[in-house]
């Protein structure tokens, strides 16, 4: 609320952001829901690895494993990173349950979401939603 920019004004991040880059996830995770009013939480982490993705059997832009805590309720929220000393839109968060004891989230690469290599112009999905 006190920031001087909106998510819709952010550029999209590179097609493959650097491993170790900072990641900020904005969402309403279930662990912060008191049953009355959802609480917006921002978590800070890093890109810890890449998840290969395929579209119609062909390799696409990698999704990101991140060290941020991602829970149900974060899904569909914005993941931001920093490139060239500016925030950029990295992707969309997705909560998964992997392994025996941990949950893991991934960030769907914004370039895959909008098929950057398809020739279709990419538009920021949040344009006009936040002012």
């Amino acid at each position: 609320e006190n920031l001087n920019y909106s998510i819709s004004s952010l550029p999209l991040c590179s097609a493959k952001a650097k491993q170790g880059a900072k990641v900020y996830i904005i969402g309403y995770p279930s662990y912060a829901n008191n049953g009355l009013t959802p609480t917006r939480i921002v978590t800070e982490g890093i890109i810890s690895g890449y998840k290969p993705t395929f579209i119609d059997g062909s390799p696409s832009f990698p999704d990101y494993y991140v060290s941020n805590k991602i829970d149900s309720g974060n899904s569909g929220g914005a993941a931001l990173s920093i490139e060239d000393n500016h925030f950029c839109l990295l992707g969309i968060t997705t909560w998964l349950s992997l392994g025996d004891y941990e949950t893991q989230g991934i960030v769907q690469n914004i370039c895959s979401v909008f098929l950057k290599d398809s020739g279709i112009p990419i538009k920021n999905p949040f344009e006009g939603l936040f002012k």
Side-chain angles (χ1 to χ4, degrees):
E1 296 163 359
N2 298 324
L3 300 176
N4 62 358
Y5 62 87
S6 65
I7 290 176
S8 66
S9 68
L10 294 178
L12 304 182
C13 293
S14 300
K16 187 174 181 183
K18 293 179 182 177
Q19 192 167 357
K22 287 189 178 185
V23 176
Y24 301 90
I25 292 179
I26 304 167
Y28 295 86
S30 61
Y31 69 81
N33 186 345
N34 63 11
L36 301 172
T37 305
T39 302
R40 181 175 52 201
I41 301 290
V42 178
T43 61
E44 180 180 347
I46 62 165
I47 295 173
S48 53
Y50 302 104
K51 179 185 178 293
T53 60
F54 298 87
I55 296 177
D56 296 330
S58 298
S60 185
F61 304 101
D63 290 336
Y64 303 102
Y65 289 113
V66 296
S67 64
N68 306 61
K69 183 169 180 77
I70 297 177
D71 197 359
S72 61
N74 281 113
S75 296
L80 310 178
S81 190
I82 297 176
E83 290 181 350
D84 300 323
N85 295 318
H86 294 92
F87 279 105
C88 61
L89 182 60
L90 181 66
I92 307 297
T93 57
T94 302
W95 174 70
L96 303 170
S97 180
L98 300 173
D100 293 327
Y101 303 103
E102 289 287 328
T103 61
Q104 172 69 51
I106 62 168
V107 173
Q108 295 178 45
N109 191 319
I110 197 66
C111 295
S112 291
V113 172
F114 290 97
L115 298 174
K116 187 174 188 177
D117 63 345
S118 70
I120 300 170
I122 297 176
K123 180 179 176 184
N124 186 325
F126 298 103
E127 187 171 334
L129 293 179
F130 304 95
K131 295 290 179 191

